[in-house]
Amino acid sequence: MAELDRTDSREGGEDEEDVDDFNYKTVKDAVLFAIDVSPSMLTVPSNSGSKKADRDSPASAALKCAYHLMQQRIISNPNDMIGILLFGTERSKVQEGDDNASKGGLAYPHCYLLTDLDIPDASGVKALKSLVEGDEEAWELLKPSTEPVSMTNVLFCANQVFARRAPNFTSRRLFLVTDNDDPHATEKALRSAAAVRAKDLYDLGVTIELFPISRPEHDFDRSKFYNDIIYQASPTDPEAPAPISGATKASSSGDGIGLLKSLLSSIRSKAVVRRALFSNLPFEIGPDFKISVKGYILFKRQEPARSCYIWLNGEKAQIAKGISTQTGGEDSRPIEKAEVKKAFKFGGEHVLFTKEETAALRNFGDPVIRIIGFKPIAMLPIWASLKPATFIYPSEEDYVGSTRVFSALHRKLLRDEKMGVAWFIARKNAAPVIAAILPGAERLGEQEEQVIPPGMWIIPIPYADDIRQNPETTLVRSPDSLVDMMRTIIGQLQLPKARYAPEKYSNPALQWHYRILQALALEEDLPEKPEDNTIPKYRQIEKRAGEYILDWGHELETQYRAWRKSAGTMGLGSKRAAEDETLNLPKRAKTAPHSLKDHDMRDVWQNQLFAKINVAQLKEWLVSKGIDTGAKKKPELIQAVEEYFEKK
């Protein structure tokens, strides 16, 4: 492997811990799709002539979902693993080289490992694409067995795949897609054995996510079998083996329902693993009263990232490993770590600090979330949100009973519309912040899938040093008639359900980047233009609010002419009016500024034109009213003028 030397003048050492709030812990994720291959799963819905009718069988739609997810992960999460296990097939294979007569086929009958659990590569994606497009091999593989498949074998097979391919992964999940809500209706022993195998998976840290499919003549009923297999966590259940995740609504396979779209939406909501910002952080609710919580960044800006550097000067391309070297002096010789001292510039000089003194400067105590009081949520202004909020959820690892206490506090804050005010240190050597702790209710999507889980949010709020003075602006207030007409326009252009849904609008620049990479890696035709859902729908805007916008424009012209006429009667010159259409206040003189009359100052106050007059004019007018100006600055003088007119 080639090594590239790279000089770097940045100061720092290994003893300094990165305090970037976006530096969350990397989580390796392994996802295994288990797709039922039964006659009903292979049945294509009848063609009813509807444009929204399904065109795919449930099994085909599930394979396309796996293909889409694999396309995403191969670029955006190159270290994650994905596999596909078909069950209920006539053929059986669990490992490479297995077949019906081999050991793997006998151990797990009617289980076919279509794609082994591994990091997806271009060849694997191409093979799955050909299968999804329905070649001859697909018909051979997707041939259902005449014998029923045992869910015990399916779950045990998945267990072995995870143990063999991803034994040390932090996140391991089994995505189960089926339309059979009671596979062992008359066999109690097999039902019990399947429940035991499911418990074994959960004990190993594997989470089972069910994606049920309802048929036109039959709605999927979880209570018949899968309530014993799928563990649904609750905030009041500390024994639950997985974080809160709402049950996925059954997708319908029938006329008028987009099965593929429904499945994609459900799987997308489960596909992204939670990334931990911190784990088992003490949450101090009162003196000697602590629980432990985990913190997650649920909203984070995504950008195209280069995963590695490539060295192309050799016989073949190699991954380059970069190193940093500190240099100094005229000869730019390498500097040893022991030669470097840290300093801060103060009063034009550098003040040196030892390693211990620097560590003491950065140490504000151990990481903690300490509640120091409670306030109404209404007291938190919207501008107080400086950084992305951190989602916290209880952990039972350090303090048993944390979930129950966290749930009780969460419900109390929600019911009383209160928030906690806390002293928050996220990590060792991190700067402390004052934060608001807001309770958050669960939010579901259109398919009843969980979009936002229930929990609490830590929102850092600003110190006094972080707040800046608003800039001086010239404000002309709009008349009520214009405001009322614009209110009608806004009402016509309301988003669905009166809220912005970010999951519906992908970043066009990011998706274009990934689409080009995908085309190059899979040897596909390069796309001509990006798909941009953020472009306004001009035809719909014209249809819904076109007439209202034209009427508002006419009213604006009328009101502008009236305002200009009224401004002209107050001494607005013709040339000045043509240039900036503002009040013609007395021009500033370098030596003796013109005095302002009472009606001039009232016009300045009503139209917020304080930027047009200077401090001397303000002081002269205030002194004439008997108001002390002293050593006040312009903002304070403006406030005195406003208080004078507000009292009158």
Side-chain angles (χ1 to χ4, degrees):
M1 182 177 293
E3 291 190 2
L4 298 181
D5 290 342
R6 182 180 60 188
T7 59
D8 194 340
S9 60
R10 292 175 298 176
E11 295 185 3
E14 296 177 357
D15 58 309
E16 291 191 15
E17 186 174 333
D18 188 4
V19 295
D20 183 8
D21 286 339
F22 296 113
N23 186 23
Y24 50 75
K25 296 181 180 179
T26 302
V27 178
K28 288 186 176 180
D29 188 30
V31 174
L32 179 64
F33 279 85
I35 302 174
D36 188 5
V37 181
S38 61
S40 59
M41 286 286 287
L42 295 174
T43 302
V44 178
S46 58
N47 187 7
S48 62
S50 173
K51 292 182 179 180
K52 295 184 179 181
D54 292 327
R55 300 290 188 269
D56 300 309
S57 66
S60 176
L63 285 172
K64 287 184 178 180
C65 289
Y67 170 67
H68 285 299
L69 184 61
M70 191 175 290
Q71 278 184 313
Q72 291 178 347
R73 293 295 179 89
I74 194 174
I75 296 174
S76 60
N77 303 86
N79 295 323
D80 291 352
M81 289 186 174
I82 295 180
I84 301 175
L85 174 66
L86 306 178
F87 64 93
T89 57
E90 187 177 88
R91 297 171 61 180
S92 304
K93 186 187 79 169
V94 177
Q95 297 184 19
E96 292 296 330
D98 285 346
D99 210 338
N100 288 336
S102 67
K103 182 178 179 180
L106 292 175
Y108 309 105
H110 311 305
C111 294
Y112 192 92
L113 191 60
L114 179 63
T115 302
D116 203 356
L117 189 64
D118 203 349
I119 296 174
D121 54 15
S123 59
V125 175
K126 289 180 182 178
L128 182 58
K129 180 181 179 181
S130 63
L131 183 66
V132 166
E133 291 176 349
D135 58 6
E136 294 182 0
E137 184 181 1
W139 293 106
E140 291 294 328
L141 292 178
L142 299 178
K143 187 175 181 179
S145 169
T146 56
E147 301 176 356
V149 63
S150 170
M151 290 304 298
T152 304
N153 289 337
V154 174
L155 297 176
F156 188 52
C157 178
N159 190 329
Q160 296 302 306
V161 172
F162 281 115
R164 175 171 53 86
R165 301 294 301 174
N168 299 320
F169 272 45
T170 309
S171 172
R172 295 180 290 179
R173 295 178 291 169
L174 177 64
F175 286 3
L176 188 60
V177 185
T178 181
D179 65 346
N180 186 359
D181 57 6
D182 196 5
H184 303 304
T186 59
E187 298 170 312
K188 187 176 181 180
L190 289 179
R191 294 171 62 94
S192 300
V196 172
R197 291 300 182 191
K199 185 64 166 60
D200 292 342
L201 280 171
Y202 280 112
D203 290 342
L204 291 175
V206 178
T207 303
I208 302 177
E209 299 282 5
L210 176 66
F211 298 94
I213 297 176
S214 295
R215 299 189 297 272
E217 69 280 1
H218 178 71
D219 289 334
F220 196 97
D221 187 357
R222 296 170 180 268
S223 63
K224 291 183 178 180
F225 176 76
Y226 283 99
N227 279 354
D228 298 330
I229 303 297
I230 310 299
Y231 288 13
Q232 297 298 336
S234 167
T236 58
D237 179 15
E239 303 300 327
I244 284 184
S245 181
T248 304
K249 183 181 178 181
S251 302
S252 300
S253 174
D255 182 36
I257 301 295
L259 175 62
L260 177 61
K261 180 180 178 181
S262 175
L263 269 179
L264 275 174
S265 175
S266 299
I267 289 177
R268 189 181 295 115
S269 68
K270 306 286 186 180
V272 180
V273 65
R274 291 180 175 90
R275 308 283 182 174
L277 177 66
F278 50 78
S279 298
N280 303 324
L281 188 69
F283 185 12
E284 189 174 316
I285 302 175
D288 299 324
F289 183 23
K290 297 180 181 179
I291 61 176
S292 57
V293 295
K294 291 184 178 181
Y296 302 91
I297 294 180
L298 298 190
F299 301 96
K300 182 179 183 295
R301 179 178 175 81
Q302 295 296 307
E303 297 176 349
R306 180 172 52 234
S307 59
C308 59
Y309 291 90
I310 303 296
W311 184 59
L312 299 174
N313 293 335
E315 296 181 358
K316 62 178 182 178
Q318 293 178 298
I319 297 178
K321 180 182 178 182
I323 59 175
S324 299
T325 304
Q326 291 181 329
T327 61
E330 296 180 357
D331 55 352
S332 298
R333 66 178 182 85
I335 298 176
E336 299 295 332
K337 185 177 179 181
E339 300 179 72
V340 179
K341 292 186 177 180
K342 299 179 181 179
F344 292 91
K345 196 170 183 179
F346 182 80
E349 297 182 359
H350 287 88
V351 183
L352 299 178
F353 287 86
T354 64
K355 181 179 178 180
E356 292 74 17
E357 289 173 334
T358 305
L361 282 174
R362 300 178 58 188
N363 184 17
F364 286 88
D366 294 330
V368 69
I369 305 172
R370 181 180 297 118
I371 289 184
I372 57 179
F374 296 93
K375 294 288 184 181
I377 293 179
M379 292 187 66
L380 183 67
I382 191 167
W383 52 261
S385 181
L386 292 179
K387 299 179 181 179
T390 302
F391 179 78
I392 58 174
Y393 196 77
S395 169
E396 294 284 326
E397 295 184 21
D398 287 349
Y399 299 95
V400 178
S402 294
T403 307
R404 286 193 176 94
V405 175
F406 185 92
S407 176
L409 178 62
H410 176 259
R411 292 198 303 269
K412 177 65 175 176
L413 293 178
L414 270 180
R415 183 171 60 250
D416 294 351
E417 297 183 351
K418 299 282 187 180
M419 66 176 180
V421 181
W423 169 268
F424 175 42
I425 302 177
R427 293 170 307 281
K428 183 180 179 181
N429 294 332
V433 298
I434 301 297
I437 301 181
L438 269 69
E442 182 181 30
R443 202 180 83 192
L444 303 178
E446 296 178 357
Q447 303 296 329
E448 296 299 322
E449 75 278 9
Q450 188 184 76
V451 177
I452 302 296
M456 296 190 200
W457 299 84
I458 298 180
I459 301 178
I461 53 181
Y463 291 106
D465 315 73
D466 303 323
I467 302 174
R468 299 290 181 265
Q469 183 67 35
N470 291 334
E472 294 184 2
T473 57
T474 302
L475 178 64
V476 178
R477 297 189 180 277
S478 173
D480 293 340
S481 59
L482 276 177
V483 174
D484 294 338
M485 295 179 71
M486 181 54 69
R487 184 178 289 110
T488 303
I489 295 174
I490 298 301
Q492 292 296 319
L493 301 180
Q494 197 79 274
L495 287 170
K497 298 183 179 179
R499 69 176 181 87
Y500 168 69
E503 63 272 9
K504 293 185 178 181
Y505 303 96
S506 299
N507 184 339
L510 185 66
Q511 294 304 318
W512 179 245
H513 172 79
Y514 286 159
R515 185 67 186 90
I516 294 295
L517 287 182
Q518 175 186 317
L520 294 174
L522 303 181
E523 299 178 357
E524 299 175 345
D525 294 334
L526 291 176
E528 296 181 358
K529 61 179 182 179
E531 181 181 352
D532 189 356
N533 293 330
T534 63
I535 296 177
K537 296 178 173 57
Y538 297 108
R539 291 185 179 179
Q540 292 188 17
I541 293 175
E542 170 67 22
K543 183 178 179 180
R544 292 183 179 181
E547 295 182 1
Y548 299 106
I549 294 175
L550 290 176
D551 294 341
W552 183 86
H554 295 317
E555 180 66 16
L556 175 63
E557 182 69 20
T558 302
Q559 293 294 338
Y560 166 71
R561 290 176 179 174
W563 172 82
R564 184 175 175 181
K565 183 177 180 181
S566 63
T569 61
M570 293 187 290
L572 189 63
S574 58
K575 181 178 178 181
R576 186 68 173 173
E579 290 178 354
D580 59 9
E581 294 130 15
T582 58
L583 287 176
N584 187 21
L585 298 169
K587 293 183 178 181
R588 296 183 182 178
K590 293 183 178 179
T591 55
H594 294 285
S595 300
L596 292 176
K597 304 299 182 183
D598 287 353
H599 66 87
D600 291 330
M601 186 60 76
R602 179 176 290 276
D603 292 337
V604 169
W605 169 67
Q606 288 178 340
N607 295 283
Q608 292 295 305
L609 297 176
F610 290 105
K612 299 293 183 180
I613 58 179
N614 57 31
V615 174
Q617 290 173 307
L618 284 171
K619 285 188 174 182
E620 182 182 4
W621 186 86
L622 288 171
V623 170
S624 68
K625 301 301 176 187
I627 300 175
D628 181 27
T629 58
K632 294 181 179 179
K633 296 181 180 180
K634 188 172 183 179
E636 297 170 326
L637 297 175
I638 293 174
Q639 183 178 359
V641 173
E642 291 176 339
E643 291 176 353
Y644 174 82
F645 284 111
E646 286 173 357
K647 291 178 181 178
K648 298 199 72 171

